[in-house]
Amino acid sequence: MSEQELQFQDKIDREIRIEPRDWMPDAYRKTLIRQVSQHAHSEIVGMLPESNWITRAPSLRRKAILIAKVQDEAGHGLYLYSAAETLGISREEMIDQLHSGKAKYSSIFNYPTITWADMGAIGWLVDGAAIMNQIPLCRASYGPYSHAMIRICKEESFHQRQGFEILLALSRGSEDQRRMGQDAITRWWWPAVMMFGPADEASPHSAQSMKWKIKRFSNDELRQKFVDICADQVKVLGMSLPDPLLNWNASRQHYDFGPIDWEEFWAVINGLGPCNRERLEARVRAHQEGSWVREAALAYAEKRKRRSNGKPMERA
C-alpha cells in the first residue's frame, strides 16, 4: 500500500469525510460511482410502479400523497446523480449505462403493482428496507453521498409511514380489503427481504466497502434488523408474513426466518424478472420523448449565460 493510500485510509478510520477534490484511490472512486449511480437509477425507476396508481387512488387525499411521494423519488434521483457527478462521471454516461442494461438498479422495482394495497406494501416494506439500508449511508465516508442521504432518509421515513397507514386502513376495513392487504404483504415480503443484496459470503464488494466506510453494516446484518422490526409491526396490522419458519429465537434475541430463493433474486438481477423489460423500455421511451425539454432548458441556460456576460441576446 502506497503512502497516499495509507493516509487516505487513516482519514477514513478517523471519520474524516472524503470530499471531491481530495485524493482517493481509483478503486474507491469506481466503487462509489457504481453504488451511487445504481442508487440514483433505483430512485428513478422506482417511480414507475407507483405512478401507475396515481389516477386510480381511492380518494383525493391518497392521490395527493402519492403524487408527493413520486415527486420525492424524482428528487432523490437528482440528488444522487449530482453526487455521482462529483466523482467525474457525467449524467449522460450514467443514463446511457442504465438504458443499455450495463448499470443495475434495485431488483424490487421489477415486480408488478396489481392492487391499491401494493402502494401500502411498497411503502411499508420496500421503503422500510430502503431506510434500513440508507440511514447508515448518512455516515458514508464520501461527503456528497452522505449529505444527499440525510435529506433522502427524512423523506423516506414519510414514505414508510404512509405505506403502513394504507395497510392499517385496509386492516380495519371489509373482509375484501383485509384480504387485499394480506395478499400485497404476501407478494412483496420476500422481494423486500432480497433488497439487501446477496448473502454476505456471496457479496463481492461488501468487505472493501465496509473498510472504506461507504457501508457500515453487512447485507445480512441489515436484513436481520429488517425482519425483526417487520415481524413485530405486522402484528399491529393483524396480518402475517408469508414465512412459516419465522419464529423468535430467545437465545439469539432475533427472529429466525426461512431460506431466501436466491435463484429468483439472481434471475431478476440478470433481467429475467416479471417487469424488467417493461421498466427499461418505459425509461428509454421517457428519455427520448423528453429530449425537447432538455434541449430547451440548455438553450435557455445558454441565453441567460450570454446575458449575464453582457452579450446581446439573439432574437428568436
Side-chain angles (χ1 to χ4, degrees):
M1 187 177 289
S2 68
E3 184 63 29
Q4 272 187 319
E5 290 173 320
L6 289 171
Q7 291 176 357
F8 174 82
Q9 187 61 51
D10 180 62
K11 288 179 69 174
I12 298 288
D13 294 340
R14 290 189 289 125
E15 301 287 348
I16 298 174
R17 292 285 184 273
I18 306 301
E19 299 299 340
R21 293 185 180 181
D22 294 342
W23 183 89
M24 63 187 75
D26 288 341
Y28 178 83
R29 185 185 303 275
K30 183 178 179 181
T31 296
L32 277 168
I33 289 174
R34 177 188 56 79
Q35 179 169 329
V36 180
S37 64
Q38 178 177 310
H39 194 164
H41 299 328
S42 299
E43 297 285 356
I44 298 301
V45 176
M47 297 164 63
L48 296 173
E50 294 174 304
S51 60
N52 185 43
W53 280 91
I54 290 174
T55 58
R56 295 181 285 167
S59 69
L60 183 59
R61 173 176 174 268
R62 296 293 188 193
K63 186 188 298 286
I65 292 172
L66 189 55
I67 289 172
K69 180 183 179 185
V70 172
Q71 180 176 279
D72 284 349
E73 306 294 0
H76 297 174
L78 293 177
Y79 302 154
L80 292 164
Y81 281 134
S82 296
E85 285 177 312
T86 66
L87 292 158
I89 187 172
S90 69
R91 191 167 306 189
E92 291 75 16
E93 185 178 352
M94 288 185 278
I95 297 297
D96 286 345
Q97 290 174 351
L98 171 65
H99 292 172
S100 68
K102 180 180 179 181
K104 304 296 185 183
Y105 56 86
S106 179
S107 60
I108 194 73
F109 300 120
N110 290 311
Y111 290 87
T113 47
I114 300 171
T115 70
W116 169 252
D118 288 21
M119 298 303 97
I122 288 175
W124 177 45
L125 296 175
V126 176
D127 294 319
I131 291 170
M132 193 67 67
N133 260 319
Q134 293 171 7
I135 285 178
L137 293 175
C138 294
R139 297 187 292 127
S141 59
Y142 188 60
Y145 192 24
S146 66
H147 300 329
M149 291 314 307
I150 291 171
R151 177 164 182 174
I152 289 172
C153 284
K154 289 179 180 178
E155 293 175 350
E156 290 289 2
S157 65
F158 153 74
H159 300 168
Q160 185 200 28
R161 288 196 298 273
Q162 67 88 28
F164 190 82
E165 196 265 339
I166 288 173
L167 292 175
L168 187 61
L170 291 172
S171 75
R172 295 171 176 174
S174 67
E175 189 58 35
D176 284 344
Q177 288 173 320
R178 285 184 54 80
R179 277 198 297 268
M180 186 168 65
Q182 179 62 66
D183 172 67
I185 291 172
T186 298
R187 285 184 289 104
W188 286 96
W189 171 247
W190 286 111
V193 172
M194 295 177 196
M195 274 183 69
F196 295 92
D200 290 346
E201 63 270 16
S203 181
H205 304 291
S206 286
Q208 185 61 71
S209 290
M210 291 178 70
K211 182 179 179 181
W212 281 330
K213 297 189 178 180
I214 298 172
K215 292 177 63 171
R216 299 282 176 155
F217 300 97
S218 74
N219 295 350
D220 288 338
E221 286 177 313
L222 292 172
R223 193 176 353 257
Q224 182 68 69
K225 289 183 180 182
F226 176 70
V227 170
D228 289 348
I229 289 174
C230 292
D232 285 332
Q233 289 180 343
V234 76
K235 297 173 184 176
V236 178
L237 299 172
M239 297 184 186
S240 61
L241 300 177
D243 183 357
L245 299 181
L246 186 69
N247 188 56
W248 177 252
N249 187 321
S251 63
R252 293 199 312 119
Q253 289 295 294
H254 291 292
Y255 279 90
D256 293 331
F257 56 97
I260 295 170
D261 185 348
W262 291 117
E263 288 188 9
E264 177 183 339
F265 172 80
W266 289 113
V268 177
I269 288 291
N270 291 319
L272 301 177
C275 298
N276 285 68
R277 180 176 295 181
E278 176 186 333
R279 298 288 185 249
L280 202 53
E281 286 177 351
R283 283 308 312 152
V284 172
R285 184 170 61 251
H287 188 72
Q288 292 171 343
E289 293 176 353
S291 61
W292 69 271
V293 178
R294 296 190 298 277
E295 291 166 3
L298 288 171
Y300 179 70
E302 182 60 30
K303 284 187 177 182
R304 286 183 61 87
K305 183 179 178 180
R306 287 199 299 271
R307 177 181 292 173
S308 65
N309 291 335
K311 295 180 180 179
M313 296 286 288
E314 294 180 3
R315 292 185 178 274

